[in-house]
Amino acid sequence: MSVAAESRTAPRQAADNSESTLTTSHVASSPRQPVIDQEQVAGLYRQLLFALGEDPDRDGLKDTPRRVARWWSEFLEYEPGRTDTLFTHEQANVDGEEVVIVSGIVVASLCEHHLLPMTLTLTVAYCPVGQVLGLSKIARIAQAHGHRLQLQERIVGGIAEEMAKVTGASDIAVSAAGEHACMSMRGVRAMGALTTNAVTRGRFSSNEPLGQLFRGLALKGADQ
C-alpha cells in the first residue's frame, strides 16, 4: 500500500505539467452565508454589558460591542474559496492501492449549545479514484464546516460527506480530537479533556490495513 503524504503529493502535482486540472461547480456544502447586521449586533452586546452590571461606556469597553460584532461577521461570513480543484492522477503503485492522508488540520469553531469555542485537530483520508483533490482544498473544506455554530460530530460528518462529493471516492475517513470550552470553562471544568470522534466509509470501516492505519492515526491525534 502506498501512502501519499502531503509533502510528497503536492510537489508531484506541481511538477507534472502533463496533468490536466479537472474542476466542477461544486463548493463546500453549507447553509447560505448570513449577512450580519453589525450595528444591531453591537447594540445587543451593549445591552448585554448593561445586564452584566458593566458600564459599556468606560474606556476598556466602549469599543467592545463594535469589535465583537465585526468578529461575528468575520466568523459567519467566512468564504473558503474553491474547494473542488482536482488533478488527473496515475496511481503510483499499480499492484497496490494508494491513500492520501492529511493530518494536523486545526479548526476553531463554536459550540451551538453554549456559544463557547472548541478547537479541533482533524485527520482526513481518502483513496483517489483516477484524480486527486488539491491538498489545500481539504483544509478549506474543513474550515468551511467550522465557521458556523456547530457540533464536533456534525463537523466530522459534514467533511466526510463533502470529501465524497468532491472526489467521487467511496473510501473516506475523517477524525477529530477536540477541546471544548463548554467542558473546561463551565460545569465539570475538565481542563485538557479531549473528545475524539470519527466517520469512516468503505474500506476504512473494516479491519483491513486501511482501517487499521487510519485508526492508528486518529488515536495518535487524540494523544497529542
Side-chain angles (χ1 to χ4, degrees):
M1 178 174 62
S2 170
V3 177
E6 180 173 358
S7 59
R8 300 175 189 171
T9 304
R12 182 171 66 245
Q13 292 173 355
D16 188 355
N17 293 327
S18 66
E19 291 182 339
S20 60
T21 303
L22 307 176
T23 60
T24 69
S25 60
H26 189 71
V27 294
S29 61
S30 62
R32 182 180 296 274
Q33 291 178 333
V35 177
I36 305 302
D37 185 336
Q38 292 192 36
E39 183 176 352
Q40 182 180 12
V41 173
L44 292 171
Y45 269 96
R46 180 177 173 83
Q47 293 179 42
L48 175 63
L49 290 172
F50 269 124
L52 294 175
E54 288 286 355
D55 176 9
D57 293 318
R58 68 178 174 86
D59 287 343
L61 292 177
K62 62 183 179 180
D63 292 326
T64 296
R66 177 180 53 82
R67 284 192 294 262
V68 177
R70 186 169 63 246
W71 173 81
W72 274 110
S73 180
E74 293 172 356
F75 179 73
L76 292 176
E77 295 176 350
Y78 173 79
E79 173 53 59
R82 291 199 70 115
T83 60
D84 58 356
T85 304
L86 297 163
F87 300 89
T88 58
H89 176 65
E90 293 184 4
Q91 190 167 304
N93 182 1
V94 295
D95 296 324
E97 57 192 5
E98 189 169 21
V99 56
V100 177
I101 301 174
V102 180
S103 58
I105 302 172
V106 178
V107 171
S109 189
L110 282 181
C111 166
E112 66 180 26
H113 295 151
H114 301 95
L115 298 186
L116 289 173
M118 56 178 158
T119 303
L120 310 181
T121 301
L122 292 126
T123 298
V124 180
Y126 74 104
C127 293
V129 184
Q131 52 191 4
V132 293
L133 181 64
L135 293 171
S136 69
K137 310 310 177 187
I138 298 174
R140 289 179 185 275
I141 289 171
Q143 293 295 344
H145 285 271
H147 278 263
R148 68 188 83 151
L149 304 185
Q150 271 288 23
L151 301 174
Q152 179 171 330
E153 296 85 352
R154 188 189 299 145
I155 290 174
V156 170
I159 294 170
E161 182 70 21
E162 191 74 17
M163 286 293 297
K165 289 180 180 178
V166 172
T167 66
S170 58
D171 302 308
I172 302 283
V174 182
S175 70
E179 184 169 356
H180 296 243
C182 60
M183 286 184 64
S184 61
M185 294 179 64
R186 56 167 296 282
V188 69
R189 288 178 171 76
M191 297 295 295
L194 289 177
T195 299
T196 302
N197 72 308
V199 170
T200 57
R201 296 183 175 186
R203 288 174 292 169
F204 285 107
S205 298
S206 70
N207 286 321
E208 292 183 9
L210 278 177
Q212 295 174 10
L213 172 65
F214 185 78
R215 280 189 289 275
L217 287 171
L219 291 174
K220 180 179 178 181
D223 291 337
Q224 292 178 347

